[in-house]
Tab-separated table of all heavy atoms in Angstrom:
chain	number	residue	atom	x	y	z
P	1225	ARG	N	5.718	9.514	2.992
P	1225	ARG	CA	4.847	8.371	3.288
P	1225	ARG	C	4.015	7.949	2.081
P	1225	ARG	O	2.969	7.323	2.222
P	1225	ARG	CB	3.918	8.677	4.473
P	1225	ARG	CG	4.645	8.957	5.778
P	1225	ARG	CD	5.421	7.752	6.230
P	1225	ARG	NE	6.237	8.039	7.425
P	1225	ARG	CZ	7.110	7.181	7.941
P	1225	ARG	NH1	7.299	6.016	7.362
P	1225	ARG	NH2	7.812	7.488	9.007
P	1226	LEU	N	4.502	8.268	0.888
P	1226	LEU	CA	3.788	7.950	-0.343
P	1226	LEU	C	4.578	6.952	-1.179
P	1226	LEU	O	5.804	6.870	-1.083
P	1226	LEU	CB	3.555	9.227	-1.170
P	1226	LEU	CG	2.623	10.276	-0.568
P	1226	LEU	CD1	2.714	11.572	-1.364
P	1226	LEU	CD2	1.186	9.769	-0.542
P	1227	SER	N	3.870	6.218	-2.029
P	1227	SER	CA	4.538	5.297	-2.944
P	1227	SER	C	5.288	6.092	-4.009
P	1227	SER	O	5.017	7.276	-4.243
P	1227	SER	CB	3.512	4.387	-3.629
P	1227	SER	OG	2.706	5.136	-4.517
P	1228	THR	N	6.224	5.425	-4.653
P	1228	THR	CA	6.990	6.062	-5.735
P	1228	THR	C	6.049	6.670	-6.771
P	1228	THR	O	6.286	7.770	-7.277
P	1228	THR	CB	7.882	5.022	-6.434
P	1228	THR	OG1	8.798	4.490	-5.493
P	1228	THR	CG2	8.650	5.638	-7.590
P	1229	TYR	N	4.980	5.975	-7.038
P	1229	TYR	CA	4.114	6.353	-8.143
P	1229	TYR	C	3.267	7.580	-7.815
P	1229	TYR	O	2.943	8.362	-8.698
P	1229	TYR	CB	3.272	5.127	-8.525
P	1229	TYR	CG	4.164	3.924	-8.537
P	1229	TYR	CD1	4.156	3.011	-7.489
P	1229	TYR	CD2	5.122	3.774	-9.538
P	1229	TYR	CE1	5.050	1.953	-7.466
P	1229	TYR	CE2	6.009	2.719	-9.517
P	1229	TYR	CZ	5.977	1.814	-8.474
P	1229	TYR	OH	6.874	0.787	-8.444
P	1230	MET	N	2.952	7.764	-6.532
P	1230	MET	CA	2.279	9.000	-6.126
P	1230	MET	C	3.276	10.152	-6.080
P	1230	MET	O	2.944	11.289	-6.414
P	1230	MET	CB	1.591	8.821	-4.776
P	1230	MET	CG	0.337	7.965	-4.822
P	1230	MET	SD	-0.861	8.477	-6.086
P	1230	MET	CE	-1.259	10.146	-5.532
P	1231	ILE	N	4.506	9.854	-5.678
P	1231	ILE	CA	5.551	10.876	-5.680
P	1231	ILE	C	5.771	11.393	-7.102
P	1231	ILE	O	5.932	12.605	-7.325
P	1231	ILE	CB	6.865	10.308	-5.099
P	1231	ILE	CG1	6.711	10.053	-3.599
P	1231	ILE	CG2	8.040	11.269	-5.346
P	1231	ILE	CD1	7.849	9.278	-2.983
P	1232	LEU	N	5.749	10.478	-8.058
P	1232	LEU	CA	5.911	10.881	-9.456
P	1232	LEU	C	4.742	11.734	-9.942
P	1232	LEU	O	4.898	12.530	-10.868
P	1232	LEU	CB	6.065	9.647	-10.344
P	1232	LEU	CG	7.360	8.851	-10.162
P	1232	LEU	CD1	7.334	7.573	-10.986
P	1232	LEU	CD2	8.570	9.700	-10.539
P	1233	HIS	N	3.570	11.593	-9.319
P	1233	HIS	CA	2.437	12.453	-9.655
P	1233	HIS	C	2.755	13.915	-9.342
P	1233	HIS	O	2.349	14.822	-10.065
P	1233	HIS	CB	1.187	12.033	-8.876
P	1233	HIS	CG	0.402	10.949	-9.545
P	1233	HIS	ND1	0.894	9.677	-9.715
P	1233	HIS	CD2	-0.837	10.950	-10.096
P	1233	HIS	CE1	-0.013	8.936	-10.339
P	1233	HIS	NE2	-1.067	9.686	-10.586
P	1234	PHE	N	3.485	14.133	-8.245
P	1234	PHE	CA	3.859	15.497	-7.882
P	1234	PHE	C	4.938	16.043	-8.810
P	1234	PHE	O	4.857	17.179	-9.269
P	1234	PHE	CB	4.365	15.536	-6.430
P	1234	PHE	CG	3.290	15.415	-5.402
P	1234	PHE	CD1	2.990	14.184	-4.844
P	1234	PHE	CD2	2.547	16.521	-5.005
P	1234	PHE	CE1	1.985	14.054	-3.895
P	1234	PHE	CE2	1.534	16.405	-4.059
P	1234	PHE	CZ	1.255	15.166	-3.496
P	1235	SER	N	5.958	15.239	-9.075
P	1235	SER	CA	7.080	15.750	-9.855
P	1235	SER	C	6.836	15.752	-11.361
P	1235	SER	O	7.410	16.580	-12.084
P	1235	SER	CB	8.345	14.936	-9.544
P	1235	SER	OG	8.106	13.561	-9.673
P	1236	PHE	N	5.952	14.866	-11.868
P	1236	PHE	CA	5.687	14.811	-13.305
P	1236	PHE	C	4.258	15.209	-13.670
P	1236	PHE	O	3.931	15.294	-14.852
P	1236	PHE	CB	5.965	13.402	-13.839
P	1236	PHE	CG	7.441	13.097	-13.977
P	1236	PHE	CD1	8.167	12.650	-12.887
P	1236	PHE	CD2	8.090	13.288	-15.177
P	1236	PHE	CE1	9.520	12.370	-12.995
P	1236	PHE	CE2	9.440	13.016	-15.305
P	1236	PHE	CZ	10.164	12.564	-14.210
P	1237	GLY	N	3.409	15.448	-12.673
P	1237	GLY	CA	2.017	15.793	-12.946
P	1237	GLY	C	1.151	14.551	-13.053
P	1237	GLY	O	1.645	13.438	-13.271
P	1238	LYS	N	-0.151	14.735	-12.922
P	1238	LYS	CA	-1.093	13.611	-12.928
P	1238	LYS	C	-0.979	12.769	-14.199
P	1238	LYS	O	-0.922	11.540	-14.150
P	1238	LYS	CB	-2.515	14.147	-12.783
P	1238	LYS	CG	-3.593	13.090	-12.796
P	1238	LYS	CD	-4.972	13.722	-12.651
P	1238	LYS	CE	-6.074	12.663	-12.730
P	1238	LYS	NZ	-7.427	13.282	-12.622
P	1239	TYR	N	-0.934	13.427	-15.355
P	1239	TYR	CA	-0.900	12.692	-16.627
P	1239	TYR	C	0.526	12.295	-17.017
P	1239	TYR	O	0.744	11.236	-17.605
P	1239	TYR	CB	-1.553	13.524	-17.725
P	1239	TYR	CG	-3.020	13.775	-17.467
P	1239	TYR	CD1	-3.495	15.057	-17.200
P	1239	TYR	CD2	-3.930	12.727	-17.461
P	1239	TYR	CE1	-4.840	15.285	-16.932
P	1239	TYR	CE2	-5.273	12.945	-17.197
P	1239	TYR	CZ	-5.729	14.228	-16.936
P	1239	TYR	OH	-7.050	14.442	-16.654
P	1240	GLY	N	1.488	13.142	-16.691
P	1240	GLY	CA	2.885	12.805	-16.965
P	1240	GLY	C	3.325	11.577	-16.189
P	1240	GLY	O	4.052	10.714	-16.709
P	1241	ALA	N	2.845	11.477	-14.940
P	1241	ALA	CA	3.198	10.326	-14.101
P	1241	ALA	C	2.638	9.031	-14.672
P	1241	ALA	O	3.246	7.968	-14.525
P	1241	ALA	CB	2.683	10.543	-12.683
P	1242	LYS	N	1.501	9.122	-15.332
P	1242	LYS	CA	0.923	7.915	-15.922
P	1242	LYS	C	1.830	7.348	-17.012
P	1242	LYS	O	1.957	6.131	-17.165
P	1242	LYS	CB	-0.466	8.218	-16.476
P	1242	LYS	CG	-1.502	8.476	-15.389
P	1242	LYS	CD	-2.901	8.644	-15.955
P	1242	LYS	CE	-3.910	8.849	-14.828
P	1242	LYS	NZ	-5.296	8.913	-15.309
P	1243	ILE	N	2.477	8.255	-17.756
P	1243	ILE	CA	3.408	7.810	-18.799
P	1243	ILE	C	4.605	7.101	-18.167
P	1243	ILE	O	4.983	5.995	-18.553
P	1243	ILE	CB	3.887	9.011	-19.638
P	1243	ILE	CG1	2.704	9.672	-20.357
P	1243	ILE	CG2	4.954	8.569	-20.642
P	1243	ILE	CD1	3.048	10.984	-21.022
P	1244	VAL	N	5.193	7.764	-17.148
P	1244	VAL	CA	6.366	7.208	-16.470
P	1244	VAL	C	6.002	5.909	-15.761
P	1244	VAL	O	6.728	4.905	-15.839
P	1244	VAL	CB	6.938	8.231	-15.461
P	1244	VAL	CG1	8.133	7.627	-14.731
P	1244	VAL	CG2	7.340	9.514	-16.161
P	1245	ASN	N	4.873	5.926	-15.063
P	1245	ASN	CA	4.454	4.741	-14.306
P	1245	ASN	C	4.174	3.548	-15.219
P	1245	ASN	O	4.471	2.401	-14.872
P	1245	ASN	CB	3.207	5.060	-13.482
P	1245	ASN	CG	3.530	5.901	-12.265
P	1245	ASN	OD1	4.684	6.005	-11.868
P	1245	ASN	ND2	2.519	6.496	-11.676
P	1246	PHE	N	3.615	3.815	-16.371
P	1246	PHE	CA	3.336	2.736	-17.312
P	1246	PHE	C	4.637	2.071	-17.758
P	1246	PHE	O	4.732	0.833	-17.814
P	1246	PHE	CB	2.565	3.259	-18.522
P	1246	PHE	CG	2.236	2.197	-19.537
P	1246	PHE	CD1	1.192	1.314	-19.318
P	1246	PHE	CD2	2.982	2.074	-20.701
P	1246	PHE	CE1	0.887	0.315	-20.241
P	1246	PHE	CE2	2.696	1.089	-21.631
P	1246	PHE	CZ	1.647	0.203	-21.402
P	1247	ILE	N	5.653	2.889	-18.053
P	1247	ILE	CA	6.955	2.358	-18.464
P	1247	ILE	C	7.571	1.522	-17.343
P	1247	ILE	O	8.084	0.419	-17.567
P	1247	ILE	CB	7.904	3.498	-18.876
P	1247	ILE	CG1	7.404	4.148	-20.173
P	1247	ILE	CG2	9.338	2.981	-19.053
P	1247	ILE	CD1	8.161	5.390	-20.563
P	1248	PHE	N	7.492	2.035	-16.104
P	1248	PHE	CA	8.027	1.291	-14.967
P	1248	PHE	C	7.270	-0.012	-14.738
P	1248	PHE	O	7.856	-1.043	-14.420
P	1248	PHE	CB	7.973	2.144	-13.695
P	1248	PHE	CG	9.111	3.114	-13.578
P	1248	PHE	CD1	8.992	4.250	-12.809
P	1248	PHE	CD2	10.306	2.892	-14.234
P	1248	PHE	CE1	10.036	5.149	-12.696
P	1248	PHE	CE2	11.360	3.779	-14.136
P	1248	PHE	CZ	11.228	4.911	-13.359
P	1249	GLY	N	5.953	0.058	-14.889
P	1249	GLY	CA	5.146	-1.141	-14.700
P	1249	GLY	C	5.524	-2.237	-15.678
P	1249	GLY	O	5.694	-3.403	-15.304
P	1250	ILE	N	5.678	-1.859	-16.937
P	1250	ILE	CA	6.076	-2.821	-17.970
P	1250	ILE	C	7.476	-3.367	-17.668
P	1250	ILE	O	7.750	-4.565	-17.828
P	1250	ILE	CB	6.057	-2.158	-19.369
P	1250	ILE	CG1	4.621	-1.757	-19.753
P	1250	ILE	CG2	6.658	-3.082	-20.412
P	1250	ILE	CD1	3.651	-2.917	-19.841
P	1251	THR	N	8.363	-2.487	-17.194
P	1251	THR	CA	9.728	-2.888	-16.864
P	1251	THR	C	9.736	-3.934	-15.749
P	1251	THR	O	10.442	-4.948	-15.822
P	1251	THR	CB	10.551	-1.663	-16.423
P	1251	THR	OG1	10.637	-0.743	-17.508
P	1251	THR	CG2	11.951	-2.068	-15.995
P	1252	LEU	N	8.950	-3.685	-14.711
P	1252	LEU	CA	8.900	-4.611	-13.584
P	1252	LEU	C	8.304	-5.954	-13.985
P	1252	LEU	O	8.729	-7.008	-13.504
P	1252	LEU	CB	8.106	-3.978	-12.435
P	1252	LEU	CG	8.844	-2.845	-11.716
P	1252	LEU	CD1	7.861	-1.966	-10.937
P	1252	LEU	CD2	9.907	-3.406	-10.786
P	1253	ILE	N	7.324	-5.913	-14.856
P	1253	ILE	CA	6.762	-7.160	-15.366
P	1253	ILE	C	7.815	-7.903	-16.190
P	1253	ILE	O	7.891	-9.131	-16.178
P	1253	ILE	CB	5.495	-6.883	-16.206
P	1253	ILE	CG1	4.351	-6.416	-15.300
P	1253	ILE	CG2	5.065	-8.132	-16.970
P	1253	ILE	CD1	3.099	-6.014	-16.037
Side-chain angles (χ1 to χ4, degrees):
R1225 298 297 175 187
L1226 294 169
S1227 69
T1228 299
Y1229 317 103
M1230 287 309 298
I1231 291 170
L1232 292 174
H1233 274 66
F1234 286 96
S1235 51
F1236 284 84
K1238 179 180 177 181
Y1239 296 113
K1242 290 185 178 184
I1243 298 171
V1244 178
N1245 285 344
F1246 180 78
I1247 292 172
F1248 279 156
I1250 295 299
T1251 297
L1252 288 161
I1253 290 175

